[in-house]
Amino acid sequence: MREDLLRTGLIAGAVFLFILALNHFMPIHRDDYDYAMVWKTGAHLASLSDVAASGVQHYLLHGGRTVTVFCLQLFLWLGKTAFDVANALMFLALVVLVTVHARRALDFWKAPQLLAVSALLLWLALPHFGEVAVWKSGSTVYLWSAVPAFLFLLPYNLALKKAAAETGMRHIWAAPPMFLLGILGGWSIENLAVTVVAVAFGASLYVWRRHGALPAWMIVGVLGALLGLIGLVAAPGNYVRYNAQGTGKGILSHIGNQFAGQGEMVLYCLPVLLLILTAWRLYRRIEAHMDIPPAGRTGAGTVALATVLALLVLSYFTGGWVAGTIRDVIIGGVLAPLGQTKPKAIHLFTNLMNGFEEMAIYWFAVLLFYARIKRQLGLTASAVRAAAEGVPMSAVLRRHPAARYAAFLMGLAVCNNLVMLAAPTFPGRATFSSSAMLVAAALALLGDSAIMTALGTAARHTLCAAVLLLFAYTGTAALLITQEMHAADAVRIAQIEEARARGETVIHFPRIERTNRALRHVYYEDWDNNVTKEGAMEYFGLTDVVVEK
């Protein structure tokens, strides 16, 4: 027990310090400048009453995410250091909550390895990590919404695992905090809020029908979540923003958004989904009572993967000639004939291609490790087919509670995304909570002793090596590039302060080339975009910001 507590403490400390470093280097930019002022007044936040007044203005004019906006503006007023610490703690809380939901038990400190895997998988799988878990305006919307929502749903999850009378939550004192947590969970972000209400209601209905009784905390929790959802969607500002973004978009556009959003989630969650697929195949082999075949030979496909990966790594460290060649071919053969050769379009496409090799190396590495694990486990095409023919899906779900629970979480993740059909847009970052649910599903399977036994020592070592290597690759890049953004932005702020001291109101900046890199674990928009430019101009009292072409 003491050893597990020590390991848990070390893992939690490492996660906190790493995320704190990223937050420290992350500059205030883009929407942060707008939210550092009383909404639509141009007055800097100077007191708690300013924060409250700004929240009311925002609710009436822009949207209903009042809870997250209040947190954002409160910490922008308190200062960047306070925000950095709070945001790192929030991410650590999410890691713990995902682990607890996966184990369906509160004693997460008894599984330090699972806690570490939770942190690593969330780092890899959360879409646009820098935008949703580091950048201030983004993290308060997505990360700070998920934490109270997942915390609120935890007692319901535990109640579903055990009989309601055995949960220890029949005490009347639990009702007030659950009501408040319900409001926070329902007053979060639109798709997650709907999911929170639906899950809390469904869990309560199940417990009532099965046990003929319903604890007071479950009832008031549902009521609180429903009130929070009403407060979220009834905001006058929602209709103002929808009229601006949703005009002229029919149902086909909304359906198309689903393909884009869900598809992007799949790309980010590729290692998580492959892990779930492997566990599913192992369950079928267990039920089929099949002997583990010897590890197969390295196939031609694996050799091809390794060759392409080596080529990409060589190119990445010698100037990026693979990405450069693809970029030039597309510009000359596709964009030029279409007339899409404006300087900004070329710059945006070039910036996208600058990150191409980073993404390609990541995906090829994931597939290469997956091929190795399949070979170590003897999961050949014939073996997988034989197990599938002999063991139907229902048999696996019936015999293995962890498989049923993981399937439920996966279905919940898809439904959570489907709620976005009502939204005029569905950016990849909106799959944040669904991606966290998929991570919880993978952890639930890894926590099953049957799967861990079936994985064997060699495959477990390969899995650990894969996750650690992918983290080392993306984590090091994210720290280095975010530090570059921090230094470049600090130079700009100093230049603004010097210019304002001289009475100048027009600022010229050189372009920052490396933005939105390391698989989007770095998020920074240069100041020639309208959001950063207009917000910074109003915040610093400038009349123009010019980024050199």
Side-chain angles (χ1 to χ4, degrees):
M1 174 66 75
R2 182 177 299 176
E3 187 175 335
D4 285 343
L5 282 173
L6 178 60
R7 289 179 179 176
T8 299
L10 290 174
I11 291 167
V15 171
F16 172 77
L17 290 175
F18 177 74
I19 300 299
L20 180 62
L22 280 179
N23 276 272
H24 170 72
F25 290 135
M26 180 66 170
I28 290 176
H29 85 296
R30 201 169 163 85
D31 300 64
D32 295 341
Y33 286 114
D34 286 326
Y35 286 104
M37 299 176 284
V38 178
W39 190 254
K40 297 304 180 184
T41 67
H44 289 205
L45 295 172
S47 65
L48 187 59
S49 62
D50 284 347
V51 174
S54 183
V56 173
Q57 285 284 95
H58 185 275
Y59 189 79
L60 295 174
L61 300 176
H62 190 70
R65 299 171 184 173
T66 304
V67 174
T68 58
V69 167
F70 176 82
C71 293
L72 170 62
Q73 296 198 293
L74 175 65
F75 278 95
L76 285 173
W77 169 57
L78 291 175
K80 185 176 182 301
T81 301
F83 198 113
D84 294 343
V85 173
N87 207 43
L89 287 173
M90 276 291 183
F91 181 76
L92 180 58
L94 179 67
V95 171
V96 171
L97 284 169
V98 168
T99 306
V100 170
H101 272 286
R103 298 183 72 245
R104 308 186 80 180
L106 294 174
D107 52 356
F108 65 92
W109 55 86
K110 293 183 178 178
Q113 296 90 344
L114 209 62
L115 185 72
V117 174
S118 174
L120 292 168
L121 290 182
L122 286 170
W123 166 259
L124 295 174
L126 290 178
H128 300 233
F129 190 94
E131 189 175 354
V132 300
V134 184
W135 174 48
K136 290 161 185 53
S137 293
S139 61
T140 45
V141 170
Y142 297 100
L143 175 61
W144 292 44
S145 288
V147 168
F150 283 22
L151 180 59
F152 167 70
L153 290 177
L154 183 57
Y156 291 92
N157 194 351
L158 298 178
L160 290 179
K161 184 182 179 183
K162 300 179 180 180
E166 298 173 359
T167 63
M169 291 292 288
R170 280 188 173 275
H171 305 291
I172 194 66
W173 60 262
M178 283 301 293
F179 180 72
L180 294 176
L181 270 178
I183 292 176
L184 293 178
W187 209 326
S188 53
I189 188 170
E190 291 77 10
N191 60 328
L192 180 58
V194 173
T195 300
V196 163
V197 173
V199 171
F201 177 78
S204 300
L205 183 62
Y206 175 84
V207 169
W208 177 68
R209 294 190 64 177
R210 179 167 184 140
H211 304 289
L214 198 60
W217 65 265
M218 297 188 83
I219 300 173
V220 299
V222 173
L223 292 176
L226 185 59
L227 287 176
L229 176 61
I230 292 172
L232 175 69
V233 300
N238 283 333
Y239 305 99
V240 174
R241 189 168 60 167
Y242 188 87
N243 288 336
Q245 295 181 353
T247 303
K249 294 184 178 180
I251 185 61
L252 291 180
S253 175
H254 288 246
I255 294 174
N257 289 341
Q258 282 290 312
F259 286 101
Q262 304 260 22
E264 189 168 359
M265 182 185 74
V266 168
L267 290 177
Y268 276 99
C269 291
L270 181 62
V272 176
L273 295 173
L274 291 177
L275 185 58
I276 292 172
L277 177 62
T278 301
W280 176 254
R281 288 173 169 174
L282 291 176
Y283 275 131
R284 274 188 156 157
R285 190 168 72 187
I286 292 169
E287 290 305 307
H289 303 291
M290 295 173 59
D291 294 331
I292 302 176
R297 295 181 178 180
T298 301
T302 303
V303 173
L305 274 176
T307 302
V308 174
L309 179 60
L311 183 68
L312 288 167
V313 171
L314 176 64
S315 172
Y316 183 66
F317 287 104
T318 55
W321 40 271
V322 169
T325 300
I326 297 174
R327 178 198 62 213
D328 294 341
V329 168
I330 293 177
I331 290 176
V334 179
L335 297 182
L338 293 175
Q340 301 295 322
T341 55
K342 293 181 180 180
K344 186 167 185 178
I346 297 298
H347 168 72
L348 291 174
F349 179 70
T350 300
N351 187 58
L352 174 66
M353 291 305 299
N354 286 340
F356 168 78
E357 286 174 341
E358 292 174 344
M359 294 184 291
I361 289 171
Y362 173 77
W363 286 327
F364 276 100
V366 169
L367 293 174
L368 189 63
F369 276 113
Y370 174 62
R372 178 172 176 78
I373 289 174
K374 280 179 60 181
R375 188 169 65 254
Q376 290 174 328
L377 295 174
L379 293 175
T380 62
S382 58
V384 170
R385 186 166 50 251
E389 290 173 353
V391 180
M393 180 186 300
S394 58
V396 173
L397 296 176
R398 185 169 54 252
R399 291 287 303 277
H400 297 277
R404 290 198 302 273
Y405 181 53
F408 168 76
L409 289 175
M410 294 178 70
L412 189 64
V414 173
C415 292
N416 187 55
N417 283 343
L418 287 174
V419 177
M420 293 298 293
L421 270 171
T425 60
F426 185 15
R429 61 182 179 269
T431 66
F432 180 99
S433 51
S434 294
S435 299
M437 293 172 194
L438 291 179
V439 171
L443 294 174
L445 297 174
L446 288 178
D448 188 354
S449 58
I451 291 298
M452 293 306 292
T453 301
L455 276 173
T457 303
R460 288 202 300 269
H461 287 169
T462 300
L463 180 61
C464 290
V467 176
L468 289 174
L469 182 62
L470 291 172
F471 168 72
Y473 166 58
T474 55
T476 302
L479 280 175
L480 292 174
I481 299 174
T482 305
Q483 194 279 331
E484 287 182 17
M485 298 298 98
H486 173 79
D489 192 84
V491 170
R492 290 184 169 188
I493 300 303
Q495 184 180 340
I496 290 174
E497 291 174 348
E498 293 171 0
R500 295 297 292 123
R502 296 191 300 267
E504 298 174 3
T505 60
V506 178
I507 307 294
H508 291 258
F509 293 138
R511 180 175 295 281
I512 296 177
E513 295 298 333
R514 295 219 298 176
T515 60
N516 298 349
R517 297 290 295 276
L519 297 172
R520 294 300 181 101
H521 288 87
V522 176
Y523 176 67
Y524 187 86
E525 298 283 356
D526 211 341
W527 287 39
D528 55 350
N529 75 83
N530 289 334
V531 177
T532 302
K533 179 177 179 177
E534 293 176 3
M537 284 168 54
E538 187 174 19
Y539 185 83
F540 291 109
L542 304 173
T543 57
D544 198 10
V545 173
V546 180
V547 178
E548 305 296 347
K549 303 299 183 184

